[in-house]
Amino acid sequence: MEILSSSGLLTGLNSEQLTAVTWPAQPALVLAGAGSGKTRVLTTRIAWLLQTGQASVHSILAVTFTNKAAKEMQLRLSALLPVSVRAMWLGTFHGLCHRFLRLHYQEAGLPKTFQILDMGDQLSVIKRMLKQLNISDEIIAPRSLQGFINAQKENGLRASQLSARDPHERQMIECYAAYDSLCQNEGVVDFAELMLRSYQILQNNDVLRSHYQNRFNHVLIDEFQDTNKLQYAWLKLLAGKQAAFFAVGDDDQSIYRFRGAEVANMTRFLHEFNVSEPIRLEQNYRSVGNILTAANAVIAHNASRLGKNLRTEAGTGEKIRVLQAINDIEEAQFVVDEVKALHREGLDYIQMAILYRSNAQSRVLEQALFRAGIPYKIYGGLRFYERQEIKNALAYLRLAVNPDDDNALLRIINVPTRGIGARSIENIQAAANEANTSLWQAATNLAAKNSKIAAFVRLIENLQLQATQISLPEIMAAAIYDSGLMEYYRTQKGEQQERINNLEELLNAAVAFKPQESGFEFDSDYDPNDPLFAVLSFLSTASLEAGEHQAGQGEDALQLMTVHAAKGLEFDGVFLTGLEEGLFPSEYSMAERDGLEEERRLMYVAITRARKRLYLTMAEQRLLHGQTHFALPSRFVDEIPEAVLQYLSAHKNSLIARQQSTQRTNPFHSRSKLAETQASQDFDGFQLGQNVHHERFGTGVIIDATHKAEGARLTINFGKQGIKELDTVFAKDKLTIIS
DNA sequence: TATATATATAGCAAT
DNA sequence: TATATATATA
């Protein structure tokens, strides 16, 4: 073991990890369980390849899904070895494709200043296009078209490669084609287009393809289970015949099917690369035994798995605490009380997280935390770069560098209001259609006749000029102040201080921005001293890292996020909230094929975030979208062995272990008084929120009811049996009220 | 043309 | 709940 002793790199690795890290230059699939040291394996392998001279920084392609993960790897790598990480192609799929397209914009048929559409931008382009084509929302819903287009692109398919099975689908495909040509005219690309465009260039351009295939001899991919068809194809194309394809993933943590991820890529990989057996990392360094028992038990309910069982050398630890609250407010209060108690015992807030299935659930928690004066930080939700004032300010900049961006123009032509109303905009659009030009071009033509349009044109022309002359922060300031945007928010009534602060924050971000660190590759075409270079990098970073902007980092604050956002993170204490049927698993998932398995994997991810202490909480009643919902505890809680659970009840801030129920199926059969009074309207002898038993469907809860001419119609959630609608006229004697 | 108010309508996870 | 659209009125 010469290498071992000569280098500190490999010390401390267990034998599974060592096998993975020092795997020869051959394809490998590493099946890495949660908390098994996956990131460590990846970074150590890269360092080892570099140190032993098997690879150079130029010959490595390393891909992650989030910017956070990419930065983490950069950081750890530079701690291991003094390498120039910037020269390495290490980044997210979208970040690397963006870099590629900026480098090869000519081959890609894109303008040098092309801009990126985020989901919101994409939706407005689609709406605008549908209006232009005179297609109403009822015939094609903008959101469904958006989903359709993205799904096709993620499968690597252009409109021309699709065939329709019915007239509606034919229209969707026509819209897809129209959308693509609109984007092309306006010089904008959406997220999926970044990938597809890069892929197609590599596929069609022999020179470029062989250049990159010769260059990369090691291709490493993290979170492989979340790759979609196109991403996998892109990786294979870049790897070529001779590169070593090193894939790390966990099929049990595949939670992005809704955006095209295919777990099947893992088995496909094994087959296509002739890998007989994956390398399994099953030693968990994160959680105590009880938590792992729960995670293993839950995930065992899934049928399609590669198979893996986590083990730990830590003790069993505490039991997992379970609480069912009367409603969402009480649930939040319980969490707050527990957080306070744990903090008093010496646990830092930053070591605790509250997780939930959907962002809408954060509100109640936030209020309770705010009242209690606990510092907290929310991830996700409305991100910094998605706020309207930020998007408005950036739209000025986008228009300045790329005047064909109609979306940007429409966004701010009358923000702040400058007398260009709906009528004037229609005129501009008509003129643009007539002459087949961009809106900007049409506006400049109309400026002679309309003084208000003329003023707007002058404003933008001035910004355009500045974009070639002055520095990024100065241009940003011009976009915010000269446009009148800041003044607009200052004089608007209502609480606009937040928006003003955000605009100032945006200015700070522009001052602090370092284009060299933005993952932009230097090319002879770009002069790093050219302000345009900085503006383009800044705008792209804003689109690609919309969520990463974080104020007050390093502060001791409780972490709030969705389970999706929590993937890859770990905390000493985790509160998993809203564990109710219909919410988690979500009701949408139940209608989809294999939807439940995906939700279960999500549950698995959630459980395995916790190191020492885990709480599972749920509410009998909660307010969602302004309506009261009733639900049973999530089936996933039932899937955890009772031996590792401890049921609690919340009473005046003190916890009393609830008498353990002998009924395995429903430990929560006592109903609260409050819930009853709030749902006391009578429906032929039944009430909302009541637990009932049906001879065929088992135990369920009444979630909705309507009066009928005779009797009433009840909507009952029977958990595993699904949601059923029953008429009391027929079903009355089959139903017994049990609470 | 700009603004205020009323009413309908869809609603999950995120690079 | 948030957002879009319609309608009224200055």
Side-chain angles (χ1 to χ4, degrees):
Chain A
M1 283 281 167
E2 202 51 47
I3 298 170
L4 267 178
S5 52
S6 68
S7 123
L9 271 187
L10 305 177
T11 48
L13 296 176
N14 68 30
S15 69
E16 301 165 339
Q17 292 172 330
L18 189 66
T19 307
V21 167
T22 60
W23 195 256
Q26 287 163 14
L29 178 68
V30 179
L31 206 52
S36 64
K38 173 181 62 112
T39 311
R40 182 168 182 207
V41 163
L42 262 170
T43 44
T44 313
R45 174 160 175 89
I46 294 175
W48 180 77
L49 289 172
L50 292 171
Q51 199 182 49
T52 55
Q54 298 181 71
S56 74
V57 282
H58 294 283
S59 65
I60 288 177
L61 174 70
V63 193
T64 63
F65 270 84
T66 64
N67 295 297
K68 205 199 246 160
K71 282 193 187 117
E72 167 88 13
M73 271 178 73
Q74 282 187 356
L75 207 69
R76 291 217 211 172
L77 202 51
S78 30
L80 290 174
L81 277 183
V83 290
S84 156
V85 187
R86 270 209 297 109
M88 195 176 340
W89 274 47
L90 190 167
T92 64
F93 277 109
H94 294 90
L96 293 172
C97 286
H98 169 251
R99 180 189 242 190
F100 181 84
L101 290 179
R102 287 279 174 213
L103 267 172
H104 304 294
Y105 67 94
Q106 280 159 323
E107 290 92 333
L110 288 169
K112 184 174 177 176
T113 56
F114 75 85
Q115 295 298 307
I116 301 166
L117 299 179
D118 67 18
M119 290 295 270
D121 298 328
Q122 186 186 35
L123 192 61
S124 40
V125 171
I126 285 172
K127 282 181 182 164
R128 186 153 50 83
M129 180 197 71
L130 287 173
K131 199 166 263 174
Q132 220 168 45
L133 295 176
N134 242 326
I135 298 171
S136 82
D137 294 12
E138 284 128 55
I139 296 176
I140 291 184
R143 276 186 191 282
S144 76
L145 181 59
Q146 183 179 32
F148 176 81
I149 291 172
N150 289 336
Q152 299 309 326
K153 289 192 181 186
E154 279 154 9
N155 272 324
L157 295 171
R158 292 284 178 205
S160 59
Q161 296 167 275
L162 295 169
S163 51
R165 308 173 91 247
D166 56 68
H168 180 256
E169 204 173 57
R170 207 192 64 228
Q171 202 174 19
M172 296 279 271
I173 295 168
E174 283 166 10
C175 287
Y176 176 13
Y179 165 81
D180 261 3
S181 71
L182 193 63
C183 288
Q184 184 62 31
N185 287 338
E186 298 183 12
V188 292
V189 294
D190 57 54
F191 282 139
E193 186 69 27
L194 286 170
M195 287 284 333
L196 183 53
R197 191 71 69 108
S198 313
Y199 174 74
Q200 291 188 326
I201 298 163
L202 284 169
Q203 206 176 32
N204 300 329
N205 189 321
D206 297 341
V207 179
L208 279 183
R209 186 180 59 250
S210 55
H211 167 78
Y212 281 100
Q213 287 182 343
N214 289 333
R215 170 177 173 169
F216 297 125
N217 59 31
H218 284 275
V219 171
L220 300 98
I221 161 79
D222 193 12
E223 309 280 14
F224 186 59
Q225 76 284 350
D226 283 330
T227 49
N228 61 38
K229 214 177 216 136
L230 179 59
Q231 288 164 334
Y232 181 38
W234 182 85
L235 288 168
K236 280 195 286 190
L237 205 51
L238 279 174
K241 284 269 177 289
Q242 90 293 0
F245 195 142
F246 191 84
V248 180
D250 180 359
D251 54 332
D252 291 335
Q253 294 189 65
S254 167
I255 56 172
Y256 283 107
R257 205 181 51 154
F258 68 90
R259 64 174 206 222
E262 295 200 2
V263 210
N265 281 345
M266 298 187 83
T267 43
R268 232 169 257 153
F269 175 87
L270 290 175
H271 192 249
E272 291 175 1
F273 286 83
N274 245 324
V275 175
S276 53
E277 198 52 37
I279 304 166
R280 285 186 165 77
L281 305 183
E282 294 175 304
Q283 173 82 38
N284 176 289
Y285 295 96
R286 183 184 293 157
S287 311
V288 296
N290 283 340
I291 290 172
L292 285 190
T293 302
N296 284 333
V298 167
I299 202 65
H301 284 79
N302 273 4
S304 45
R305 300 177 61 208
L306 289 172
K308 177 169 41 62
N309 218 22
L310 294 180
R311 54 172 195 276
T312 179
E313 282 167 10
T316 51
E318 301 173 341
K319 284 191 175 181
I320 296 165
R321 293 159 164 81
V322 186
L323 178 102
Q324 184 180 35
I326 291 163
N327 55 31
D328 45 355
I329 296 169
E330 195 199 71
E331 182 192 30
Q333 194 51 51
F334 167 78
V335 171
V336 164
D337 292 340
E338 286 297 296
V339 166
K340 269 197 221 155
L342 287 171
H343 189 249
R344 270 198 303 273
E345 287 169 25
L347 194 58
D348 287 341
Y349 287 125
I350 203 162
Q351 281 309 326
M352 295 183 254
I354 305 179
L355 308 184
Y356 34 81
R357 173 69 238 268
S358 70
N359 281 310
Q361 292 164 244
S362 69
R363 206 186 198 85
V364 181
L365 294 160
E366 214 181 328
Q367 280 167 359
L369 289 165
F370 187 78
R371 265 201 303 274
I374 296 173
Y376 63 91
K377 177 159 170 36
I378 298 192
Y379 292 80
L382 185 59
R383 284 106 160 251
F384 183 75
Y385 284 107
E386 283 169 359
R387 313 190 85 97
Q388 64 146 335
E389 63 276 18
I390 302 300
K391 295 217 74 161
N392 287 340
L394 292 177
Y396 278 101
L397 225 54
R398 285 167 81 126
L399 197 58
V401 296
N402 179 18
D404 292 339
D405 192 336
D406 289 356
N407 226 27
L409 181 138
L410 286 170
R411 189 173 182 102
I412 44 80
I413 190 165
N414 205 29
V415 181
T417 49
R418 45 173 73 89
I420 307 176
R423 199 54 194 270
S424 307
I425 293 174
E426 269 173 42
N427 288 340
I428 297 172
Q429 282 177 315
N433 265 346
E434 184 80 16
N436 199 21
T437 62
S438 66
L439 294 177
W440 165 251
Q441 192 55 248
T444 54
N445 295 340
L446 287 172
K449 288 187 224 158
N450 182 321
S451 64
K452 306 220 163 118
I453 295 178
F456 173 71
V457 167
R458 270 199 305 278
L459 169 69
I460 300 301
E461 279 175 343
N462 199 31
L463 275 178
Q464 285 173 346
L465 189 68
Q466 292 180 318
T468 61
Q469 291 173 350
I470 56 180
S471 71
L472 169 66
E474 290 173 299
I475 302 160
M476 196 71 250
I480 293 173
Y481 290 97
D482 297 359
S483 66
L485 203 58
M486 189 57 109
E487 196 52 32
Y488 173 70
Y489 286 117
R490 278 213 185 106
T491 53
Q492 284 271 304
K493 56 182 168 185
E495 213 27 76
Q496 301 294 319
Q497 191 54 45
E498 179 79 16
R499 299 199 193 280
I500 293 166
N501 293 347
N502 286 334
L503 285 175
E504 281 163 358
E505 185 66 33
L506 178 64
L507 212 49
N508 291 339
V511 172
F513 185 71
K514 297 189 191 74
Q516 298 85 351
E517 288 171 17
S518 63
F520 228 155
E521 184 126 312
F522 288 93
D523 189 51
S524 54
D525 243 42
Y526 295 102
D527 173 1
N529 298 314
D530 183 349
L532 183 65
F533 174 81
V535 173
L536 285 176
S537 324
F538 187 69
L539 286 172
S540 301
T541 308
S543 304
L544 290 169
E545 297 185 20
E548 240 81 2
H549 183 96
Q550 285 164 30
Q553 259 188 340
E555 233 178 286
D556 183 27
L558 179 66
Q559 313 282 300
L560 270 72
M561 65 191 87
T562 63
V563 179
H564 281 92
K567 189 162 82 151
L569 306 177
E570 54 181 271
F571 308 92
D572 283 335
V574 168
F575 295 84
L576 188 44
T577 64
L579 281 170
E580 295 137 38
E581 284 291 303
L583 201 60
F584 195 179
S586 83
E587 56 182 325
Y588 303 94
S589 70
M590 310 205 197
E592 286 166 40
R593 196 167 55 83
D594 298 330
L596 202 61
E597 295 222 337
E598 172 109 344
E599 293 288 304
R600 193 174 279 113
R601 291 192 290 266
L602 200 51
M603 180 71 180
Y604 176 77
V605 168
I607 293 172
T608 52
R609 296 312 96 197
R611 291 196 199 103
K612 294 176 188 153
R613 187 178 283 199
L614 177 61
Y615 292 84
L616 308 177
T617 68
M618 62 216 75
E620 294 173 20
Q621 187 187 92
R622 88 167 54 236
L623 205 60
L624 278 176
H625 310 300
Q627 273 195 310
T628 307
H629 288 246
F630 296 88
L632 289 172
S634 168
R635 71 190 70 192
F636 298 146
V637 179
D638 289 339
E639 291 173 1
I640 300 173
E642 188 118 354
V644 303
L645 298 180
Q646 180 187 11
Y647 291 100
L648 308 172
S649 65
H651 266 302
K652 288 183 183 135
N653 304 346
S654 74
L655 300 176
I656 303 153
R658 189 181 272 200
Q659 198 180 356
Q660 213 144 59
S661 165
T662 43
Q663 263 181 295
R664 181 70 190 94
T665 46
N666 187 4
F668 312 98
H669 50 270
S670 75
R671 286 209 58 79
S672 64
K673 292 232 160 54
L674 181 65
E676 269 167 22
T677 50
Q678 290 195 353
S680 58
Q681 206 193 345
D682 185 276
F683 293 90
D684 197 16
F686 296 93
Q687 288 167 12
L688 279 184
Q690 262 177 342
N691 283 353
V692 291
H693 190 270
H694 184 273
E695 54 188 45
R696 236 183 71 222
F697 303 129
T699 304
V701 59
I702 301 175
I703 58 176
D704 199 6
T706 47
H707 293 289
K708 304 263 290 191
E710 258 187 87
R713 192 167 177 79
L714 307 174
T715 309
I716 305 178
N717 184 346
F718 285 105
K720 276 174 221 178
Q721 305 294 319
I723 294 169
K724 311 275 179 203
E725 295 216 344
L726 302 175
D727 266 29
T728 52
V729 180
F730 305 110
K732 198 159 191 176
D733 28 311
K734 297 193 180 83
L735 284 170
T736 34
I737 299 168
I738 58 175
S739 65

